[in-house]
Amino acid sequence: MRRTRLAGALTAVLALALVATGCGGATADGSGNGSGGEPSGTGVSAAARDRVEPLADPVAPRLPVTVPSADGRRVAVTSADRIVPLSGSLNEIVFTLGLGPKVVARDITATFEQAAKLPVVTRAHDVSAESVLSLRPTVVLAESTTGPAEAVAQIRDAGIPLVVVKPAKTLADVRTRIDAVAAALGVPDSGAALGKRTQDRIDAVRKGIPAREEKPRVAFLYVRGSAAVYLLGGAESGASSLLEAAGAVDAGKESGLVKDFTPITSEALAKAAPDAILVMSKGLASVGGVDGLAEIPGVAETPAGADRRVVTVDDGVLLNYGPRTDQVLKSLVDQLYGAGK
């Protein structure tokens, strides 16, 4: 089963949540002191959330190239003049490779400053083929979870090179994913440079994690109050690798939840017994902050609920496993261990 359950098994849930909330992607990170409905830590900084950092010396694409696609095809790419990435994560990688000026569309979750004014052609992995084709792309980048299948087929049938990239499952996949995008766009050297930069920054964060005899237990909750969606993450939620890299225990996974998400119950939370709760910033806002989160059955009875230990990371970057993953990891570490306070 794939890591990207927010894009697979939860696609319908996300679509419902986006309709109910009227938007998707990033919101304010909600920093505070753990009282008055605010989380106990601070999320990814505004600078990290709003901008990506392109390579200092990007190179021009060397095309044509023929590359493997994650759907088993081989795709010939002859031009990268008009790029359409069909997910926020892919938008982020393309912009960070230095090819932002060639991008002509975005997913609704690509909320960083450089992409914010581009037209939206995907919402919660729901692609508008007509919108994509109207932009006359020369290459389209998709996830293996991008859909509906009919829309993807319509784009391909129009003769547009469409390269499918596997979703990242863990931190170990970050460089592979960057390399795949860079290869498809004819900039393998930029991919190697970005992959090294990203890995070096992740390694630097991990070196600064304080040693603890007892690792904090963290439960990842996916909540959308306006859509009445309240889920507890398990082994396949996508958060486990980040939490473990931050020196924590994924409480849902450790309690025996082998799937992606399960409905939140008092019993499931009691078994997970988290010391802290990880939630996306938009999800936290949708339930009314920490005060509202504590009203979800079972939350207040956990050690995390009793201590009001809530860790937030912006929706648009938490599970991207891309060039800003070091910032996500640092935010988790700072909030869990109080760094910089």
Side-chain angles (χ1 to χ4, degrees):
M1 297 178 70
R2 295 187 182 279
R3 193 277 305 170
T4 318
R5 298 303 184 182
L6 293 179
L10 287 181
T11 295
V13 170
L14 273 169
L16 175 61
L18 286 167
V19 170
T21 58
C23 55
T27 61
D29 61 79
S31 61
N33 59 10
S35 62
E38 295 300 325
S40 59
T42 56
V44 175
S45 70
R49 182 177 66 249
D50 291 339
R51 292 189 61 81
V52 297
E53 182 188 348
L55 289 173
D57 298 305
V59 300
R62 298 194 302 271
L63 298 170
V65 296
T66 299
V67 294
S69 179
D71 58 358
R73 303 167 186 261
R74 291 189 63 80
V75 180
V77 180
T78 60
S79 171
D81 288 343
R82 299 181 64 81
I83 306 168
V84 174
L86 296 181
S87 75
S89 176
L90 292 174
N91 270 270
E92 181 178 323
I93 293 173
V94 176
F95 269 85
T96 313
L97 286 168
L99 298 176
K102 297 179 180 294
V103 178
V104 296
R106 68 180 177 95
D107 177 77
I108 196 169
T109 61
T111 54
F112 54 90
E113 181 179 316
Q114 295 99 319
K117 293 182 180 179
L118 291 172
V120 172
V121 295
T122 48
R123 296 173 182 271
H125 300 268
D126 183 10
V127 178
S128 169
E130 292 78 10
S131 296
V132 171
L133 294 174
S134 72
L135 295 168
R136 298 176 289 106
T138 58
V139 58
V140 173
L141 302 174
E143 306 263 0
S144 54
T145 50
T146 298
E150 294 81 3
V152 174
Q154 185 177 345
I155 295 169
R156 184 178 281 120
D157 290 345
I160 308 300
L162 189 149
V163 180
V164 179
V165 180
K166 290 181 180 179
K169 302 176 183 179
T170 67
L171 282 174
D173 296 326
V174 172
R175 292 190 73 166
T176 302
R177 186 171 167 85
I178 290 172
D179 285 343
V181 173
L185 299 179
V187 289
D189 292 344
S190 291
L194 179 58
K196 183 179 186 305
R197 187 185 84 176
T198 304
Q199 189 61 55
D200 287 348
R201 291 178 177 182
I202 291 172
D203 291 344
V205 175
R206 298 185 73 170
K207 288 178 182 177
I209 297 174
R212 291 289 180 96
E213 190 171 331
E214 259 189 67
K215 295 183 177 180
R217 297 171 58 85
V218 183
F220 174 39
L221 304 188
Y222 180 81
V223 296
R224 283 295 187 271
S226 53
V229 176
Y230 307 101
L231 304 171
L232 170 61
E236 296 291 329
S237 74
S240 292
S241 182
L242 283 168
L243 291 173
E244 290 163 5
V249 172
D250 182 336
K253 174 182 175 181
E254 199 273 341
S255 71
L257 299 179
V258 297
K259 296 183 179 180
D260 49 3
F261 291 89
T262 188
I264 292 174
T265 64
S266 297
E267 293 77 15
L269 283 173
K271 188 173 182 181
D275 302 308
I277 289 172
L278 168 63
V279 64
M280 294 181 181
S281 56
K282 181 173 285 294
L284 186 63
S286 77
V287 297
V290 173
D291 289 338
L293 190 69
E295 293 177 2
I296 296 174
V299 170
E301 287 70 45
T302 65
D307 294 339
R308 301 177 65 82
R309 292 203 66 197
V310 178
V311 175
T312 61
V313 175
D314 192 77
D315 301 48
V317 295
L318 176 58
L319 299 181
N320 269 6
Y321 286 106
R324 291 189 288 177
T325 295
D326 65 295
Q327 297 170 5
V328 174
L329 186 58
K330 185 176 187 306
S331 179
L332 290 176
V333 171
D334 287 353
Q335 293 180 76
L336 286 172
Y337 307 106
K341 294 185 179 179

